[in-house]
Amino acid sequence: MVADIEAFQEHVSTGLTTLCRCWAITRKDGVQIGFTDHDMPLNFESITFKADTGLSALALQQSTGLSIDNTEVLGALSDAAVREEDIDAGRFDGAEVRSWLVNWQDVSVRKLQFRGSIGELRRGGGAFHAELRGLTEELNRPMGRIYQRPCTAVLGDSSCRFDLSADGYSHERGAELIEGARIFRWKSMTDFEPGWFARGRLLLKSGEAAGLFGVIKSDRFENGFRVVELWEPIRAKVVADDVVRLEAGCDKRVETCRLKFANLLNFQGFPDIPSEDWVMAVPKQSGSNSGGSLR
C-alpha cells in the first residue's frame, strides 16, 4: 500500500484528525519490530505495529540545516518486542528507526516524519529509554585520509578488498570450553599457526548469541589447548557446541599485508612517510648522506 501524501495534507487541513504515531525498528541482524501509540495494532509496509508496548515519544526536533534531528522514545520491555537481554547484548545498537504520522482510520494516509538510528539506549524498571538521532548524525564524524604508516582500512572492507572467505582465512567450529564468554579453548586446533587470529573477529553463528562478535585479543597455545581470548566478553550466553567463526587478524603493517594476505596493492597506509625524527636530521660526517630512503 503506497502512502498518499496529498491525502495526508488534506486530512490535516480539516482540523479534525485521527492521527497516531508509528515506529519501525530494523536491527542490524535484520529483525524488524513495529510499535504504535494507538490503542489497536496497525499494519502497513509488511510491518505489524503493536499497540501493547506502552510506547510514547517526546517532541521531534527538526531543522533545515546540518544540525542533528533528534527525539526520544520510552516504552515497556516485553519478551515479544524489546527484551532486556537483547539490549544488554547490543542488538539494538545503531538500529535504523523510522517514524510516521498515520491516520489510523486509513493507514495509506500517512507521512514519514523521521528517519535515523538509535543512539543512547537505557533500560531499567521494566522500561527502555531510547535516544533517536537523525540521518545527519552520519556527517558528525571525521572524513578523509589519515597519513600514517599503519593501514587505515578495516580488513575485508571496501578499501581493503580482501576476501575473508578465502581458504585459510576463516574457520568455523563448535565451541568447547568457554570462560566468561571471553576465553575460548579447543583441545585440537593446530591447522593455524599461533597468533593467526589475533586482532581478528570471533563471530557467533548459532545459539542465543548468534550474530554477535568480539575482537580477538590473543591467539595462543597453552597447556595443550588452542586459546582464543577476546578483549571484551560476548554480551549474551555462549555454551559448548555453539558454532563460532574465527577470522584472521591484521596488525596493519605493510609486511603483514604483503606476506600474510598478498594484498599489498590495496594497502591504505604510508609506510615510507618520514618519522618525527626526520625534522631534526642534520648533516654528519659518518654514515651516508645520499638523500635516499631512511628505511
Side-chain angles (χ1 to χ4, degrees), residues 2 13-14 46 48 60 99 108 119 184 199 206 209 274 278 281 292:
V2 180
S13 64
T14 63
S46 303
T48 298
L60 173 62
S99 174
S108 67
F184 295 75
R199 299 182 179 87
S206 67
W278 179 81

Side-chain angles (χ1 to χ4, degrees), residues 167-182:
D167 291 341
Y169 293 95
S170 63
H171 180 64
E172 292 188 9
R173 66 184 301 135
E176 293 181 7
L177 300 176
I178 307 108
E179 297 180 20
R182 190 175 69 88

Side-chain angles (χ1 to χ4, degrees), residues 18 26 39 57 67 121 130 141-142 162 174 195 206 226 229 231 237-238 247 257 261 265 274:
T18 52
T26 304
D39 57 2
S67 59
L121 184 61
R141 58 188 176 91
F162 185 79
S206 67
R226 183 67 175 257
E229 181 179 354
W231 283 100
K237 185 177 181 180
V238 183
E247 296 178 350
C257 188
F261 299 99
L265 289 177

Side-chain angles (χ1 to χ4, degrees), residues 23-201:
W23 295 266
I25 298 177
T26 304
R27 302 186 331 201
K28 291 185 177 180
D29 57 4
V31 174
Q32 199 169 54
I33 307 170
F35 309 96
T36 180
D37 57 8
H38 188 48
D39 57 2
M40 294 291 290
L42 302 174
N43 290 272
F44 58 88
E45 295 200 5
S46 303
I47 305 172
T48 298
F49 296 86
K50 298 180 180 180
D52 56 356
T53 60
L55 197 71
S56 60
L58 301 182
L60 173 62
Q61 299 179 12
Q62 293 180 301
S63 64
T64 57
L66 293 178
S67 59
I68 301 171
D69 298 337
N70 64 83
T71 184
E72 293 180 336
V73 293
L74 178 69
L77 291 167
S78 69
D79 290 338
V82 180
R83 301 187 303 167
E84 190 166 1
E85 51 266 38
D86 288 337
I87 294 177
D88 287 339
R91 295 190 185 277
F92 287 91
D93 293 353
E96 181 192 36
V97 179
R98 290 175 293 165
S99 174
W100 293 266
L101 278 175
V102 183
N103 178 358
W104 51 265
Q105 291 186 333
D106 181 1
V107 294
S108 67
V109 180
R110 62 181 184 270
K111 177 185 178 182
L112 181 62
Q113 189 182 32
F114 175 86
R115 186 170 185 175
S117 60
I118 291 180
E120 183 181 358
L121 184 61
R122 307 189 302 273
R123 85 284 181 275
F128 69 91
H129 186 279
E131 177 191 14
L132 307 184
R133 298 174 180 173
L135 294 176
T136 48
E137 168 69 13
E138 291 298 315
L139 300 176
N140 191 28
R141 58 188 176 91
M143 301 292 290
R145 297 291 302 275
I146 298 175
Y147 290 91
Q148 61 180 29
R149 287 188 177 182
C151 181
T152 57
V154 176
L155 183 62
D157 70 2
S158 59
S159 297
C160 172
R161 302 181 185 178
F162 185 79
D163 183 7
L164 281 169
S165 64
D167 291 341
Y169 293 95
S170 63
H171 180 64
E172 292 188 9
R173 66 184 301 135
E176 293 181 7
L177 300 176
I178 307 108
E179 297 180 20
R182 190 175 69 88
I183 300 176
F184 295 75
R185 300 178 187 269
W186 288 272
K187 185 64 177 178
S188 59
M189 193 172 71
T190 58
D191 299 339
F192 303 90
E193 63 184 52
W196 186 258
F197 298 107
R199 299 182 179 87
R201 293 198 318 167

